[in-house]
Amino acid sequence: MGKFEEYKPAMAMIGIQMCYAGVTLSARATMVNGLSPRVFILYRQAFATIFIFPFLYFSRGKPKISSLDLKSFSLIFLVSLVGITINQNLYLEGLYLASSAMGSAVGNIIPAITFLVSFLAGYEKVNLLDKRGLAKIAGTILCVAGATSMTLLRGPKILNSESTLPVIKSVLGDLNDQNMWLFGCLFLFSSTLCWSFWLTLQVPISAYYPDHLSLSAWMCLFGTIQCAVVTFFLEKDPNAWILHSFSEFATCLYAGVGASALSFTVQAWVISKRGPVFSALFNPLCTVIVTILAALFFQEEIYIGSLIGGLGVIMGLYIVLWGKAKDVMMNQEQRDSENDSEVKIHSEDFSNTANCNRDLEDPLLSKYKPTDQEIKIRQQIN
């Protein structure tokens, strides 16, 4: 039983990555068959909102959701706009134009980009004379170089010589194959920037609004409203708003409940147990699953440049995470040493206090022994 408890966080993260891989593959398949990316995002967020508010109500046993003041409303609205509305629209458009494997692989640069954004915002410190700081810088450069290679240096195809997935719902209109790939990669890279900004914005908003479950619920609600506005202006065809098949409905429901609602809860639990670095270590697993299944079942093309760039992104990811893990370990050791010193000081203070109390309880001359001469003088006087 103890071994099972030890492996539960790893099993949970493997399940989450398989869930993300399923969303990536099923979303691209339904979009290629005619579902609009904007409509998919709208229904995904709507299903997530419908699920998470009852979950919040019943999990706490009382109808209490933290209220919003003007500042918290503004922060959550901004976070929802950046992390849900803009990020997901860019990601789905890029996934639609490029490929499932590309969409999954580009996501591996998020830790490196987040480190760079956090450094510019003052949340991360870098010591250029320390190997941990150099590792984070080198990993970030390798991630960006790998992503650039995947985007620009496609190279010859090594699997699936012909593409059978035409683009019919892009906001950019008709594009040839080369432009499709380039614009798709740019959209995906822009979505990683938005996600990195979203992660960085969690620092001030969590400090001001510490109720994380209510925060997630409000973000899902605001994201749904914002996505509805975006879809209203970009989707002029009323028929595009209709889910025409059970597979489209199932894909939106699966993405909303599985990837947007349940995954947040499970991942928050894993981070509380093992930390954010442990959670990020499993990101490349989704890339491997998506790349293999997309090539086998959807006949997606794989290029040498993309393969080399993807390996560079994964290597850079682990270098950045190694540097972050060393920071976490060093900070933990510093906290442990500070706690030990505080315990030692408190122990010494308690010992001194106990001695003083013992001295006050005894008579002041109880331990004094008179000399023989003093005893004789007392006897003569008596």
Side-chain angles (χ1 to χ4, degrees):
M1 189 67 179
K3 286 290 184 180
F4 178 73
E5 292 292 331
E6 181 180 351
Y7 290 123
K8 279 173 71 173
M11 295 168 60
M13 286 308 306
I14 292 174
I16 288 176
Q17 295 305 319
M18 294 178 67
C19 177
Y20 287 157
V23 169
T24 301
L25 293 170
S26 60
R28 177 161 168 79
T30 53
M31 287 188 297
V32 165
N33 289 325
L35 180 63
S36 167
R38 276 77 59 191
V39 174
F40 170 78
I41 297 170
L42 172 60
Y43 284 119
R44 170 181 175 172
Q45 289 306 125
F47 284 131
T49 304
I50 294 172
F51 176 83
I52 199 168
F53 270 97
F55 176 79
L56 177 62
Y57 176 89
F58 289 109
S59 64
R60 295 185 172 180
K62 55 183 179 180
K64 182 179 180 181
I65 300 177
S66 299
S67 60
L68 302 179
D69 57 19
L70 180 61
K71 183 176 181 180
S72 58
F73 174 86
S74 303
L75 288 173
I76 296 176
F77 187 89
L78 175 62
V79 167
S80 302
L81 181 65
V82 174
I84 295 179
T85 307
I86 299 177
N87 168 57
Q88 289 193 13
N89 276 278
L90 288 173
Y91 177 80
L92 267 296
E93 192 70 30
L95 182 70
Y96 194 51
L97 292 173
S99 66
S100 303
M102 186 67 187
S104 177
V106 170
N108 290 314
I109 71 173
I110 290 176
I113 301 299
T114 304
F115 159 72
L116 181 60
V117 174
S118 299
F119 171 74
L120 295 177
Y123 296 125
E124 283 281 350
K125 305 298 181 183
V126 178
N127 185 3
L128 297 178
L129 301 179
D130 185 77
K131 60 182 180 181
R132 292 177 290 112
L134 294 176
K136 289 186 283 189
I137 294 175
T140 302
I141 294 174
L142 187 57
C143 279
V144 175
T148 304
S149 173
M150 294 172 66
T151 304
L152 301 178
L153 306 177
R154 299 177 69 180
K157 299 175 183 178
I158 59 177
L159 192 62
N160 297 332
S161 58
E162 293 185 1
S163 174
T164 59
L165 301 177
V167 174
I168 55 176
K169 291 287 184 179
S170 173
V171 294
L172 299 178
D174 295 331
L175 298 170
N176 60 40
D177 182 66
Q178 185 65 35
N179 288 335
M180 276 172 47
W181 181 269
L182 181 60
F183 278 107
C185 293
L186 291 177
F187 278 132
L188 290 171
F189 185 75
S190 299
S191 75
T192 62
L193 292 178
C194 290
W195 190 251
S196 297
F197 278 113
W198 181 84
L199 291 173
T200 306
L201 287 172
Q202 296 302 303
V203 177
I205 195 172
S206 296
Y208 187 78
Y209 194 88
D211 189 349
H212 299 293
L213 193 55
S214 294
L215 174 62
S216 175
W218 285 118
M219 283 194 298
C220 287
L221 178 61
F222 288 169
T224 302
I225 298 172
Q226 293 167 355
C227 290
V229 174
V230 172
T231 307
F232 176 79
F233 284 103
L234 294 182
E235 286 296 339
K236 302 299 183 182
D237 183 12
N239 193 48
W241 290 67
I242 303 173
L243 299 178
H244 296 89
S245 65
F246 175 77
S247 62
E248 293 181 353
F249 172 81
T251 300
C252 295
L253 180 64
Y254 169 63
V257 176
S260 295
L262 286 179
S263 293
F264 167 79
T265 306
V266 175
Q267 196 153 11
W269 173 79
V270 172
I271 291 174
S272 68
K273 294 290 184 181
R274 297 292 181 87
V277 175
F278 178 86
S279 174
L281 287 173
F282 289 84
N283 286 352
L285 179 61
C286 180
T287 302
V288 175
I289 295 173
V290 169
T291 302
I292 294 175
L293 295 181
L296 292 178
F297 295 104
F298 299 137
Q299 301 298 307
E300 287 191 358
E301 303 158 343
I302 298 180
Y303 299 87
I304 291 180
S306 300
L307 184 62
I308 296 174
L311 293 175
V313 167
I314 294 175
M315 290 175 59
L317 166 69
Y318 281 113
I319 292 174
V320 172
L321 292 177
W322 178 85
K324 289 291 296 178
K326 292 296 183 181
D327 283 343
V328 172
M329 292 174 60
M330 179 166 290
N331 292 334
Q332 183 64 40
E333 291 176 356
Q334 291 178 352
R335 286 194 294 267
D336 291 341
S337 62
E338 290 175 358
N339 291 335
D340 292 340
S341 62
E342 290 178 0
V343 169
K344 185 177 180 181
I345 293 173
H346 290 319
S347 177
E348 291 177 353
D349 291 342
F350 178 78
S351 177
N352 295 333
T353 303
N355 291 333
C356 293
N357 292 335
R358 192 181 303 112
D359 292 339
L360 290 173
E361 291 173 357
D362 296 334
L364 294 176
L365 299 179
S366 61
K367 298 180 182 180
Y368 176 73
K369 294 183 179 181
T371 61
D372 295 338
Q373 186 176 1
E374 290 176 343
I375 294 174
K376 290 180 180 180
I377 294 174
R378 290 177 183 176
Q379 290 176 352
Q380 290 177 0
I381 293 174
N382 295 330

